[in-house]
Amino acid sequence: KLGLAPEVVGFNADEDMNDDLRNMVWKGHYLGTQPADVMMHVPVDPYLAKANDKVRIFAPYHYEVMGMARVASRVPVPAGSAAVALEVFTREKIGVEGETLADSFLLGVLRGRLKENVVHFRSIAEAAKALREDSIVAIMAPRGELEGALTGDTRYVIDEAKLGELNPKGWPVGMAVKAEAADLATALSGALIELQKDGTVAAIFKKYGVTLQTH
């Protein structure tokens, strides 16, 4: 929309989002990676923003929720009390990406009773492969990631994880630029509004099988 050709820079997540913002937005990585002009899919959170005064976080375009992809015949709907909804994983295996909210939640819930059946993967794509191979019966991750990894595969149900003990259950995501890049933030915000109004954002999400939420 801005008339620029994108150069997409992928990166491995660091220990937390503060590290990612430092490495990829305002400073650069000590191994030599240069920071990007804008980072996508950044939680639009006042506490995160306050803790990172060298970046400007803005323009939420999607509300991400924690989700679960599951074999419906073997795993119940992930809702209500975790003690009831997740008891199945004292017997069945569930996949997570390591060092994530889903990972820490499942390892700690039910007083650690699920630890032996929480299987760690380097990515949700790897977890999806294991699900298709029947080595696990479910994956817990942000719903958008699950929908993207399992697009077109009707063998599995993907639900929002509405578990009482899970916090947060969802969060808005937007963009981040350097704190001094006010003009860039304004230009990106304006372009995003136009792309939302003309249906482009919704079409992109639909193309990749991801449910767009705005609340």
Side-chain angles (χ1 to χ4, degrees):
K1 193 67 177 180
L2 296 177
L4 300 169
E7 181 182 348
V8 179
V9 180
F11 68 98
N12 292 323
D14 212 317
E15 291 296 322
D16 59 35
M17 195 70 209
N18 302 309
D19 294 335
D20 295 338
L21 290 169
R22 180 188 66 245
N23 294 338
M24 299 307 298
V25 179
W26 65 269
K27 184 177 183 180
H29 198 279
Y30 67 88
L31 292 177
T33 304
Q34 294 298 308
D37 297 296
V38 57
M39 180 188 281
M40 303 288 293
H41 226 64
V42 177
V44 182
D45 178 89
Y47 297 101
L48 181 66
K50 186 175 181 180
N52 291 275
D53 59 359
K54 294 184 183 299
V55 303
R56 184 184 301 261
I57 300 174
F58 63 101
Y61 54 83
H62 174 57
Y63 190 82
E64 187 60 273
V65 296
M66 188 56 67
M68 185 182 292
R70 60 191 174 89
V71 178
S73 61
R74 296 170 69 178
V75 179
V77 177
S81 169
V84 176
L86 302 182
E87 190 273 340
V88 63
F89 299 118
T90 60
R91 302 177 301 280
E92 300 274 19
K93 294 189 180 297
I94 182 170
V96 294
E97 183 177 353
E99 303 296 327
T100 60
L101 172 61
D103 178 17
S104 60
F105 174 72
L106 289 175
L107 292 181
V109 77
L110 273 71
R111 298 184 180 180
R113 288 173 59 209
L114 308 184
K115 285 183 178 180
E116 295 300 316
N117 286 323
V118 177
V119 184
H120 293 87
F121 297 91
R122 288 180 295 179
S123 68
I124 297 306
E126 289 188 7
K129 182 174 182 289
L131 183 64
R132 292 186 175 106
E133 293 172 349
D134 297 324
S135 61
I136 58 176
V137 297
I139 307 168
M140 191 170 182
R143 190 171 71 179
E145 292 188 46
L146 294 172
E147 290 177 332
L150 294 166
T151 299
D153 199 327
T154 58
R155 291 175 294 172
Y156 311 105
V157 176
I158 300 176
D159 303 287
E160 179 179 348
K162 297 181 178 180
L163 300 165
E165 296 89 334
L166 177 63
N167 185 41
K169 296 177 179 62
W171 54 94
V173 292
M175 296 179 270
V177 298
K178 295 177 181 65
E180 63 270 21
D183 289 349
L184 177 58
T186 298
L188 288 165
S189 294
L192 175 63
I193 289 170
E194 292 183 35
L195 292 168
Q196 288 171 322
K197 286 181 177 178
D198 68 15
T200 300
V201 173
I204 291 170
F205 274 74
K206 184 177 180 180
K207 178 180 178 180
Y208 293 100
V210 179
T211 302
L212 174 63
Q213 291 191 186
T214 55
H215 70 282

